[in-house]
Amino acid sequence: MMGDHSNVTAALAAVDEDYYTLRPDGSLVTQSTAAGAIVETLGRLDVRTGMRVLEIGTGSGFSGALLSELVGPQGSVVSVDVVAGLSERARELHGSRGRTNVDLVTGDGALGAPGHGDFDRIVAWTTPRLLPGVWVEQVARGAVIVTPVELAPSVRTAAILRARVDPERGPEGEYLFAGRYVEMHGEELDQWLVPPRGVDALVCARDGRELWISAPWATEDGEAARRALKVVADGDTARVRVLEPGESAVDLTAYLYARHPEDISVVGLGGPAWGVGSADADGAAVFTAADAGSAVHGGGPAPLERVHAWVAEWREAGRPGYADLWPVLTRTDGGWRVRAELAGV
C-alpha cells in the first residue's frame, strides 16, 4: 500500500529545507533525514487537516515543519527528542517562521508524550525494539502509527511498520516497508557508529576499528562472539559474490527476517560499516551497504556456506521481498513485538 504523497509534496513546497537542516556555518545538522525518506514516510502516515500528531525524534525540525503544514492551523504537532539542544533549536526555528502549532518536548521518545494525547497519528524517526505500549495508550480510536521497529532479536534488523489501532484489539499491522533509523535511546549520544543497545560483544582491531556483533547465539556465549570478532578483525576478509545481477539484497534480507529471524547475525565491521548475515565462533559472512551483491567473509567457511544456502532457498521461494511480508504483532512486556511472515504462506 502506497501513501498519497500529493499533500506532502505541497507541504514540501511550503517549507525551506535548508532553513532547518543547515547550521549558520552551512554544515548539515547530524540528525537530519533525507527529504525523500521523509516524504515517503509521511505519505504513508496519511496526515489530514485538523489532526493531532506525535512525532518521535525532532532532529533538525524539518519533518516537524512539514507536519505543521499538513495538520494546518486547526491541528497540532507534538515533537519529542532526547536532545534538549535539538528541541530548543527547532522551537526557535518554528517560532521565527510563525509555526505556532508545534509543541517541542525534551524527553525519552519511548514514553511518548504523556498528557498531550490523544493523537490521531504517531510517526517515529528512531527505531524501538518493540512497538511501545505507551504509544498505543496515547492515541485516539483508529489512529495510525508509522515507525521503524526491529523484526528479529538482533539490533538493526529493522523495517518500517504501518499499524492501525483498533479500540478493542489494540494495534494491528497493515504492512511493512524497507527503512530504518538510529536505535531509540533514552540519553543523548556522542557517537552513532556502535548501537547504543543490543550489542553482545565488542572488540578493538589492531588498526583501532571497533567491531561489534548482535545475535541470539552471541547473547548466550559472549566469549565465542568475541572470538568471532577477533577472527574478522585480525584476519583476512574478502568480498564474495553471492547474488546475481538484478537480485536484490534488500529483498533477500526481508526474506531472512521472515524465515530466519533467530539465525541472523548483525556484525559491525568498524566505522559506519556493518552487515546482516551469518556468524559463528569462527568467523562471519555479512551483506553490507557498500556492495549488497557480495558478502564480506572472514574466518571459517560455515557462515558463508549458510549464506549461500539461504540465497538458494530464497531463489526457490521466488525471491520474495518486502511486498510479500506481513507484520505480526504479539503482546509482550512493554509493548508489542513485531515479526514478519511471508504473505500467503
Side-chain angles (χ1 to χ4, degrees):
M1 174 183 174
M2 299 295 291
D4 178 6
H5 294 179
S6 58
N7 62 340
V8 182
T9 302
L12 194 65
V15 177
D16 183 349
E17 181 180 2
D18 288 348
Y19 172 74
Y20 284 96
T21 61
L22 298 182
R23 300 186 185 279
D25 64 0
S27 63
L28 182 71
V29 175
T30 305
Q31 300 89 343
S32 296
T33 298
I38 293 175
V39 168
E40 176 69 14
T41 299
L42 294 186
R44 296 176 186 267
L45 189 64
D46 187 26
V47 179
R48 302 170 194 172
T49 302
M51 282 186 168
R52 304 186 71 189
V53 179
L54 172 60
E55 176 183 54
I56 308 296
T58 301
S60 70
F62 176 54
S63 55
L66 294 175
L67 288 168
S68 170
E69 289 289 326
L70 291 171
V71 301
Q74 290 74 40
S76 63
V77 178
V78 176
S79 184
V80 180
D81 204 288
V82 72
V83 181
L86 291 176
S87 299
E88 184 56 36
R89 177 180 180 275
R91 182 178 293 110
E92 293 176 0
L93 295 179
H94 292 324
S96 295
R97 290 297 166 96
R99 301 188 188 283
T100 59
N101 60 350
V102 185
D103 188 5
L104 282 303
V105 175
T106 300
D108 185 352
L111 303 178
H116 290 79
D118 293 340
F119 297 104
D120 302 296
R121 298 287 188 267
I122 295 180
V123 62
W125 311 105
T126 178
T127 305
R129 183 176 60 88
L130 306 169
L131 174 60
V134 292
W135 292 5
V136 176
E137 295 169 2
Q138 295 173 24
V139 300
R141 175 188 295 265
V144 170
I145 300 174
V146 175
T147 179
V149 66
E150 288 166 11
L151 299 181
S154 304
V155 73
R156 295 198 175 167
T157 55
I160 301 181
L161 166 75
R162 176 182 158 114
R164 187 175 294 276
V165 180
D166 180 274
E168 282 77 40
R169 295 189 294 270
E172 298 180 333
E174 294 188 331
Y175 60 85
L176 297 160
F177 60 101
R180 59 166 296 276
Y181 295 99
V182 67
E183 293 76 25
M184 182 172 286
H185 49 90
E187 299 178 354
E188 182 174 352
L189 297 180
D190 57 7
Q191 63 83 32
W192 290 268
L193 300 179
V194 178
R197 56 171 174 77
V199 170
D200 296 307
L202 178 72
V203 303
C204 188
R206 297 190 186 100
D207 59 7
R209 290 176 301 139
E210 288 187 311
L211 281 72
W212 54 268
I213 190 168
S214 178
W217 69 269
T219 303
E220 297 176 1
D221 192 343
E223 185 54 42
R226 282 186 285 275
R227 287 202 307 272
L229 291 176
K230 287 289 288 182
V231 168
V232 176
D234 298 336
D236 294 328
T237 60
R239 286 196 171 273
V240 180
R241 176 66 57 179
V242 293
L243 295 182
E244 298 171 354
E247 291 184 328
S248 168
V250 173
D251 286 346
L252 171 62
T253 303
Y255 174 80
L256 296 179
Y257 290 162
R259 282 301 180 87
H260 297 283
E262 301 291 330
D263 302 322
I264 291 171
S265 296
V266 182
V267 179
L269 300 170
W274 60 276
V276 175
S278 176
D280 60 22
D282 297 319
V286 296
F287 292 99
T288 68
D291 182 359
S294 300
V296 175
H297 174 234
L304 184 59
E305 291 171 354
R306 195 171 298 115
V307 166
H308 279 299
W310 285 344
V311 171
E313 180 185 312
W314 171 65
R315 288 170 178 159
E316 181 67 22
R319 299 179 177 85
Y322 276 97
D324 304 292
L325 296 189
W326 182 261
V328 177
L329 278 59
T330 305
R331 192 71 166 96
T332 187
D333 291 343
W336 278 263
R337 188 190 73 172
V338 182
R339 292 293 182 262
E341 291 184 358
L342 288 174
V345 177

